[in-house]
Amino acid sequence: MTNYTNFRFEVDADGIALATWDMPGRSMNVITGQVMDELSRIIETVASDEAIKGCVITSGKESFSGGADLTMLQASNAEYMRLAKEKGEEAATTFLFEESRKLSLLYRRLETSGKPFAAAVHGVCLGGAFELALACHFRVLSDVDSTRVGLPEVKVGLFPGGGGTQRVARLMQTGDALQMLFKGEQIRPLMARNMGLVHSVAPRDEIVQTAKDWIKQGGSAVAPWDQKGFKLPSNKVYSAAGMQIWPPANAIYRRETQDNYPAIRAILEAVYQGLQLPMDLALRVESRWFAKILRSKEAAAMIRTLFISMQDLNKGARRPKDVPSITIRKVGVVGAGFMGASVAYVTANAGLEVVLIDRDMEAAEKGKAHSHKLMSDQIMKGRAKTADRDALLARITASADYKDLADCDLVIEAVFEDPTVKAEVIQKIEAAIRPDCILASNTSTLPITGLARSSRSADQFIGIHFFSPVEKMMLVEIILGKETGDRALATALDYVRLIKKTPIVVNDSRGFFANRCVLAYILEGHLMFAEGLPAPMIEQAGKQAGMPVGPLSLNDEVGVDLGLKILKATKAQLGEAAIVPQQEELLTRLVEKEGRLGRKNRKGFYDYPEAGQKRLWPGLKDLQTKRVEPEFVDMQELKERLLVTQALEAARTVEEGVITDPREADVGSILGFGFAPYTGGTLSYIDFMGAKSFVELCRKLQAKHGDRFAPPKLLLDMAASGETFYGRAEAKRAA
Ligand code: NAD
């Protein structure tokens, strides 16, 4: 009938149109300018052709769609900047408002076209794509477990600007709607139906028919909110019910975001204002907020790091181009302890064969039992079947015999953190493996170059550093020893890709990247404590700065004793000057005198009662010889200290050549240790502030708190030249 590039459009004998979204040359549908144009033509065709009764929109791919092309948004932001420079702020703002409103107007046109539209959704349907479904008058989801709907825009510093805030807030209780919009979670089919987000759930091959039947049976072309007498699910904003909702909503917003996320604040505003207006005006208000948020530095930073850079890294930005793709079928894991057992699980979970080795069969079996437990938990939650567990366990061979490693493509050792033990294990592994097998270590502190010396071929030796808990943490640090070769790097990257984690590649150095920054954060917390600052304020400052937990709490998680162990090792290797005496004193007292090791023995900076929540240990006060009264505490400065110290450490890793690409420091810092995501990561924090301002801030802190805040030469140079980390990297790539 009509020619479309991105849709197949056909009308059946009943006069019901089916628009199958299926973009050529792409594995996933995405909203682009061309898709919007074609969708607009489809809507007009359906609206004007009397023979067409209504239209079902579905996808020809394995998934419905992931939403809008974020690079398209980035482009309109760039155009805004250009216009602002050339024609002034007002012209630029008008442009951005009109531009970002197009999708919302298109969906509204669909909703008010006079013909019923239905969305038949299988697979993921997120962001702008789910907003399309929300604008349809009827939504049916496939009952397949991988089907997910949601509005995850907040995760990249944006919010749903295609009508999502308004439609969701009219479909469910305001409190629930705000929770959903704030969190941006992906929602499973039955949950979505229970929440009132969709009308129906059906087997995959029946969704289109279900949608057609709905139209055939006279489904209404008028959205509930356009019908006469429509009542908001939580009543009017200015009502007794509204009084119960809005004051706490404000408080929840503060608690969840510490006011660090303008996009989430904008959701609150858009819903609050929008619910007091008719739909068309409400959508206009949403668009105003959207255009404003699109210009925020938080959105720019988060889109760059958490979307673009992350995708680049996942797709192998750092992979040596001339090494052909490596076939990895079987992976050996030696050391079936805390880390090894989890590495075996995530590997088997990706469909790979695993040989899990420990000193004896009992230890190896114990490591394998971890996978049994994790899979059983999944079964309990209804996310896996017994057959999945059996299949996964069948892929793991527990063994105490190194010969079983014979046909592995990659072996990862995770034995005790002891160079002698590791050296011995490396030799045993190498006596068993094929000559082309790559050998990796999961060490967190031992230099890879040193370990590689025990290996017969240092070019086939590499670090693959997982973070705990391995099942949850998405980051993997790949560490290059001095002689690590390209094939080893390619193998490590191909493996990380198979297990669906995000890799960063760093050069060998003490603490690699992530742990260096983490230790700086914890150290700052310890020093604040030694200065006499109240522990609750230190913890609060960490959270207000945007960290997932305060520094003392984090220290409890990794182990107070581990902190002391690292400190002692540093002192032994690098001398007295390399450590901070106040920290040594505090940790020695906690560990050696008070027996407080952290969460592991339920006693650290916090007490961890069997029942109930953790709370700061009341005895902490007795460890402080000085005390700063709360009213004299400058919270802003505490927040700055906690972020600046980590950013400085990240800058030093660049100066030392440990980090060679700013994308890796940024992605690594957010995925690895939760560095305040709204900043875009440790280096983006500096870039968005500007090196000059950052250096000034460092100088101020240095004068007051000592030389650990001294800016390195690299930052001084950047401050003088006006360069950014990303600008330098781009120049290097271009050269
Ligand atoms: P762990 O003590 O829980 O496990 C070590 C395992 O290695 C034990 O099961 C032990 O029996 C086994 N083992 C020891 N010697 C062996 C040998 N000669 N042959 C075969 N197996 C042997 O330790 P873990 O916490 O799992 O740490 C393992 C490695 O992972 C260390 O290098 C550590 O630095 C690193 N790492 C740990 C973490 C963490 O959070 N614990 C994080 C990242 C990396």
Side-chain angles (χ1 to χ4, degrees), residues 595-616:
R596 303 193 72 89
L597 310 183
R599 186 191 270 279
K600 61 175 117 174
N601 77 339
R602 299 183 171 281
K603 289 191 303 187
F605 284 95
Y606 288 76
D607 281 326
Y608 299 84
E610 290 276 355
Q613 287 195 334
K614 68 175 183 180
R615 54 192 178 100
L616 280 158

Side-chain angles (χ1 to χ4, degrees), residues 375-574:
M375 284 306 284
S376 302
D377 292 347
Q378 293 289 317
I379 294 170
M380 289 262 288
K381 288 183 190 148
R383 300 202 180 141
K385 305 208 165 65
T386 320
D388 301 326
R389 180 179 63 196
D390 294 348
L392 185 137
L393 291 175
R395 285 195 288 275
I396 304 178
T397 309
S399 166
D401 186 353
Y402 283 75
K403 285 201 199 82
D404 288 334
L405 297 172
D407 51 354
C408 284
D409 305 294
L410 166 71
V411 174
I412 303 167
E413 75 74 20
V415 298
F416 298 142
E417 189 74 338
D418 174 329
T420 324
V421 176
K422 293 221 191 258
E424 205 179 288
V425 165
I426 289 167
Q427 276 159 21
K428 278 193 192 162
I429 296 171
E430 289 187 338
I433 55 179
R434 283 194 324 251
D436 64 334
C437 174
I438 299 298
L439 180 47
S441 172
N442 179 43
T443 178
S444 15
T445 57
L446 303 169
I448 292 300
T449 311
L451 289 177
R453 279 191 204 113
S454 327
S455 159
R456 64 183 177 200
S457 43
D459 69 322
Q460 296 197 158
F461 196 89
I462 193 161
I464 299 186
H465 182 217
F466 285 89
F467 294 82
S468 132
V470 178
E471 298 81 22
K472 281 216 182 107
M473 299 293 289
M474 294 314 293
L475 185 74
V476 177
E477 263 179 339
I478 293 182
I479 296 109
L480 297 175
K482 281 220 168 62
E483 293 171 55
T484 301
D486 275 359
R487 213 178 72 81
L489 173 58
T491 306
L493 285 170
D494 290 354
Y495 164 69
V496 172
R497 189 174 180 162
L498 285 173
I499 59 169
K500 296 200 170 67
K501 296 202 184 278
T502 298
I504 62 170
V505 180
V506 306
N507 285 318
D508 204 6
S509 98
R510 235 191 136 66
F512 314 133
F513 170 71
N515 285 346
R516 278 178 67 165
C517 301
V518 169
L519 287 177
Y521 177 58
I522 293 176
L523 169 65
E524 205 55 35
H526 290 160
L527 292 179
M528 288 174 176
F529 183 79
E531 284 163 29
L533 289 158
M537 295 185 86
I538 300 170
E539 294 291 86
Q540 189 56 25
K543 283 194 234 157
Q544 284 185 9
M547 298 299 293
V549 291
L552 306 180
S553 187
L554 183 59
N555 196 180
D556 273 2
E557 294 299 326
V558 297
V560 184
D561 57 331
L562 184 68
L564 183 61
K565 209 170 134 195
I566 295 175
L567 189 138
K568 282 185 173 165
T570 311
K571 187 165 147 181
Q573 285 168 24
L574 305 177

Side-chain angles (χ1 to χ4, degrees), residues 221-285:
V222 184
W225 36 89
D226 292 323
Q227 283 168 15
K228 245 189 138 154
F230 170 70
K231 285 212 167 51
L232 292 169
S234 295
N235 208 338
K236 291 188 174 145
V237 171
Y238 284 94
S239 67
M243 267 303 290
Q244 302 292 320
I245 294 163
W246 288 98
N250 245 323
I252 292 167
Y253 159 73
R254 291 259 159 194
R255 186 190 66 199
E256 303 285 315
T257 67
Q258 310 290 340
D259 209 16
N260 285 325
Y261 294 85
I264 302 185
R265 192 189 185 127
I267 290 174
L268 200 63
E269 297 267 17
V271 172
Y272 176 75
Q273 294 163 5
L275 286 182
Q276 301 176 55
L277 297 167
M279 196 59 167
D280 288 296
L281 272 179
L283 290 172
R284 178 175 273 270
V285 166

Side-chain angles (χ1 to χ4, degrees), residues 94 97-98 100-101 104-105 108 159 161-163 165-166 170 270 273-274 277-292:
T94 307
F97 172 68
E98 297 300 345
S100 58
R101 193 165 149 63
S104 183
L105 286 174
R108 183 62 177 155
F159 74 91
T165 66
Q166 301 309 313
R170 282 164 177 76
Q273 294 163 5
L277 297 167
M279 196 59 167
D280 288 296
L281 272 179
L283 290 172
R284 178 175 273 270
V285 166
E286 183 196 69
S287 295
R288 291 252 180 253
W289 283 108
F290 188 76
K292 183 177 161 76

